[in-house]
Amino acid sequence: MTADKTHTPRKTTRRQFITEASRGVCGTGLLGLGLAGYSKQSQSLAAQCLRPPGALTEEDFLAACVRCGLCVEACPYDTLKLGKIFEPVTTGTPYFDANVIPCEMCEDIPCQTACPTGAISPELESINDAKMGLAVLIDRETCLNTQGLRCDICHRVCPLIDEAITLEIERNSRTGHHAMFIPTVHSDKCTGCGKCEHACPLEEAAIKVLPREIAKGELGHHYRWGWIEKDKAGGSLIDEVLDLPDRLPGTK
Amino acid sequence: MKASVGAEAIATKGWLGAHKYLLLRRVSQLGILALFLIGPLFGVWVLKGNLSSSVLLDTVPMTDPFMLMQSIAAGHIPEITAVLGALIVAVFYFMVGGRFFCSWVCPVNVITDLAHWLRRKLKVRASTKLSRKTRFWVLAMSLVLPVVLGTMAWELINPVSLFHRGVIFGMGLGWIVLVGIFLFDLLLVEHGWCGHVCPLGAFYNLVGRYSPIKVSAYQREKCDKCMDCFTVCTEPHVLKMPLFGENKGYSPMIESADCTNCARCIDVCSQDVFKITTRLPIKAEVKQ
Ligand code: SF4
Ligand code: SF4
Ligand code: SF4
Ligand code: SF4
């Protein structure tokens, strides 16, 4: 066997060295730019993807989660999945699609216990305080209850029945003399577990759980609700309206 | 480049003897993967999680320190479990030689080894020259991007974590990245990924810089210059001085932190030039 040319110790000239090195540096720079672009794009979570209970806010979560899947393996219901590359959820991070398998709201929150980094925050003490998303009665044209029927399924499956979802009575204007029982979600209680969406009997659920950033509106920061401010102040914040004398018919 | 290497070694030591460490490495690489897999597949939980962070027998936490550094760079202060896990892993790889990870644990190594083997068989000669220092730039980039963007950008495509996670949790389109690496190594740059680009390799290079366990060309005077070790080595430049630098005063120990401690050079050498040593006893040997 003869010693091969490509493997005999080779002298690199200065020029060669500089070309090779600059190729490396430029390549790395380009790769970095591409990654920065891709990461900006992939930072928005798709509407059907929910984070595990107790997960930090999306931005912090992406900084914290090391994509280990310990939460996924800890979940007894196979709820959680890890996002794959090119999927609409950041590569390797855990999520669930409520329509496929909702969160069963384990009392001992095994996914949280398993998380080594705190991406699923240990600060969540009770699963009932989780805020994985927010259920929204997204289609009032197909929801059976909005047509005056008594489906009520989303209401009955809710682990926080009558707290997270209530049935609010409205007049049925179609029949004119019946009531409708509108499923109404309360954002301070809804955990976003997704059982309602999962259970909705329609072909496509009329109630859907969305990430809170998508589902919730946010008041302009300078806005105040007058009645709340009034309660806080213990009285009206503006001078009393001028009280004109009441003139009732028949009086002078 | 030689299509077949180690013919003399096979003749003197037998096929098994000339592939001992290669086989051990495959057993180690695939075995670790298997230990992670039997959990989700059969409910036998030895290792939970994946290489990014895992738990051994429900007690010992292990976290990829490079991954954790990216997380910290992105602005997260990790829980103690992850920090402890990263320390355990870092100390372990420091002891066994940092790039031990590359050759004995990393699943991507199987792909790049395959690419190199095929490269030899197909006699692919063309190789774009790329500086081996590139990986340190990539390492720097992968730690700077999180500071700027607040997210672990490198982990969007990191083939190492992607491959390992994919095998356990589902690959999706991840194979595209892996095929990309395979072709890059096969057609563009010889030892391209592991030897030039991978920041994890660069990271473990730094971790294992002063590791006690090293390969040594302790019988370099017996070397017959067949160059088989240069052909199989992923970092052939590390062999030059330990083998041929005696008159320049170089120690026979492969001191370069680029060496992956794969011990393939021991396998293919028919003259038994190499062996695995620790740093301290070799000094004693030199003194004799
Ligand atoms: S609370 Fe239970 S069901 Fe819900 S994600 Fe965590 S482990 Fe799974
Ligand atoms: S256990 Fe924590 S760090 Fe691991 S994938 Fe789940 S959320 Fe991320
Ligand atoms: S997601 Fe639906 S079922 Fe779950 S808490 Fe909210 S309203 Fe109830
Ligand atoms: S010098 Fe030997 S042990 Fe080190 S990387 Fe090369 S073949 Fe492997």
Side-chain angles (χ1 to χ4, degrees):
Chain A
M1 289 202 185
T2 47
D4 190 287
K5 277 282 179 307
T6 51
H7 281 309
T8 40
R10 154 183 62 92
K11 277 227 173 64
T12 329
T13 63
R14 195 185 166 78
R15 177 190 294 262
Q16 245 177 331
F17 175 78
I18 291 173
T19 334
E20 287 171 25
S22 53
R23 196 180 283 153
V25 175
C26 296
T28 310
L30 281 179
L31 185 65
L33 277 179
L35 270 180
Y38 179 39
S39 85
K40 274 272 170 284
Q41 189 200 16
S42 71
Q43 246 169 34
S44 45
L45 190 63
Q48 73 276 23
C49 298
L50 304 171
R51 293 300 188 192
L56 301 173
T57 57
E58 187 61 12
E59 205 189 323
D60 293 342
F61 186 76
L62 289 184
C65 170
V66 296
R67 291 91 159 125
C68 65
L70 282 167
C71 52
V72 174
E73 289 183 340
C75 175
Y77 301 98
D78 274 346
T79 301
L80 300 174
K81 300 274 172 280
L82 287 187
K84 298 170 186 128
I85 193 167
F86 306 134
E87 277 183 353
V89 53
T90 302
T91 313
T93 54
Y95 73 98
F96 70 100
D97 181 339
N99 201 29
V100 183
I101 309 179
C103 168
E104 294 288 338
M105 290 180 56
C106 316
E107 295 257 322
D108 51 347
I109 330 182
C111 50
Q112 178 198 41
T113 321
C115 180
T117 59
I120 300 180
S121 167
E123 272 161 34
L124 176 70
E125 274 169 18
S126 158
I127 187 70
N128 290 339
D129 296 332
K131 294 277 175 282
M132 297 172 264
L134 179 60
V136 181
L137 184 65
I138 211 161
D139 187 1
R140 291 188 55 137
E141 291 171 346
T142 49
C143 166
L144 301 175
N145 275 32
T146 63
Q147 301 308 311
L149 306 175
R150 289 301 300 272
C151 158
D152 295 1
I153 289 181
C154 54
H155 176 243
R156 273 181 283 134
V157 296
C158 179
L160 298 176
I161 182 169
D162 286 331
E163 290 181 65
I165 297 194
T166 53
L167 294 175
E168 303 293 327
I169 297 174
E170 276 178 25
R171 203 177 83 92
N172 185 339
S173 55
R174 180 174 56 83
T175 63
H177 54 270
H178 293 102
M180 298 191 301
F181 294 80
I182 308 296
T184 307
V185 181
H186 304 278
S187 67
D188 54 335
K189 289 283 159 49
C190 172
T191 63
C193 70
K195 298 203 103 175
C196 49
E197 172 176 348
H198 185 69
C200 179
L202 299 187
E203 194 63 34
E204 179 71 47
I207 189 164
K208 289 204 166 87
V209 181
L210 305 173
R212 288 200 156 233
E213 302 82 65
I214 299 179
K216 275 299 275 176
E218 191 175 337
L219 211 57
H221 293 277
H222 59 292
Y223 275 51
R224 298 289 177 273
W225 299 124
W227 52 94
I228 293 179
E229 298 303 317
K230 187 172 165 188
D231 276 357
K232 261 198 244 160
S236 179
L237 297 170
I238 50 171
D239 296 335
E240 284 304 315
V241 183
L242 190 59
D243 193 20
L244 296 170
D246 305 320
R247 290 207 184 98
L248 295 171
T251 55
K252 259 270 160 196
Chain B
M1 205 190 314
K2 287 191 274 193
S4 78
V5 284
E8 294 99 329
I10 295 173
T12 51
K13 301 197 271 195
W15 192 90
L16 264 185
H19 292 84
K20 185 171 120 198
Y21 285 108
L22 183 63
L23 291 174
L24 281 176
R25 270 189 326 112
R26 293 295 176 253
V27 169
S28 161
Q29 287 162 329
L30 301 176
I32 290 170
L33 214 50
L35 287 182
F36 276 106
L37 262 178
I38 53 174
L41 287 186
F42 309 113
V44 187
W45 296 101
V46 182
L47 280 167
K48 280 185 182 162
N50 61 36
L51 284 182
S52 302
S53 193
S54 56
V55 186
L56 176 64
L57 296 171
D58 272 327
T59 35
V60 188
M62 294 184 284
T63 303
D64 172 3
F66 173 55
M67 180 67 112
L68 199 68
M69 280 166 63
Q70 291 179 71
S71 169
I72 294 169
H76 178 65
I77 300 165
E79 289 295 309
I80 190 74
T81 316
V83 178
L84 192 65
L87 277 178
I88 292 175
V89 171
V91 167
F92 173 78
Y93 285 115
F94 170 77
M95 292 311 293
V96 293
R99 294 202 66 201
F100 181 91
F101 173 85
C102 297
S103 54
W104 292 80
V105 180
C106 180
V108 173
N109 174 272
V110 183
I111 297 180
T112 55
D113 271 2
L114 178 70
H116 192 251
W117 177 82
L118 208 63
R119 202 176 225 283
R120 289 207 312 262
K121 291 289 166 210
L122 301 178
K123 302 199 170 57
V124 183
R125 276 169 183 279
S127 179
T128 313
K129 290 281 178 292
L130 190 66
S131 164
R132 283 193 183 262
K133 295 269 178 286
T134 305
R135 48 187 147 188
F136 292 101
W137 289 103
V138 180
L139 176 64
M141 176 201 72
S142 55
L143 291 175
V144 169
L145 277 185
V147 177
V148 183
L149 303 168
T151 182
M152 293 182 250
W154 177 250
E155 288 307 322
L156 294 173
I157 57 157
N158 181 0
V160 181
S161 55
L162 179 138
F163 188 13
H164 197 259
R165 190 171 55 231
V167 173
I168 304 168
F169 296 96
M171 189 65 82
L173 292 177
W175 57 268
I176 292 180
V177 177
L178 301 173
V179 169
I181 286 186
F182 178 77
L183 293 178
F184 177 66
D185 266 34
L186 180 66
L187 303 173
L188 280 179
V189 184
E190 187 178 11
H191 296 303
W193 177 257
C194 297
H196 298 75
V197 183
C198 178
L200 195 56
F203 173 75
Y204 278 121
N205 168 313
L206 299 177
V207 170
R209 201 135 275 237
Y210 303 106
S211 291
I213 297 179
K214 295 274 164 182
V215 172
S216 170
Y218 76 121
Q219 302 201 70
R220 55 185 167 190
E221 62 288 347
K222 286 169 73 182
C223 171
D224 62 4
K225 301 206 170 49
C226 74
M227 305 308 267
D228 277 0
C229 55
F230 280 86
T231 308
V232 291
C233 180
T234 40
E235 306 278 343
H237 58 280
V238 306
L239 288 161
K240 192 171 139 195
M241 285 314 167
L243 266 180
F244 306 127
E246 190 165 14
N247 45 13
K248 287 187 196 143
Y250 279 91
S251 131
M253 195 164 63
I254 298 172
E255 282 177 7
S256 166
D258 284 346
C259 168
T260 66
N261 278 6
C262 73
R264 187 80 181 108
C265 48
I266 306 183
D267 272 352
V268 298
C269 182
S270 60
Q271 306 301 315
D272 288 329
V273 166
F274 301 96
K275 72 168 183 185
I276 296 174
T277 58
T278 52
R279 268 181 199 254
L280 301 177
I282 192 116
K283 274 194 193 128
E285 263 173 53
V286 171
K287 267 184 217 141
Q288 286 171 6

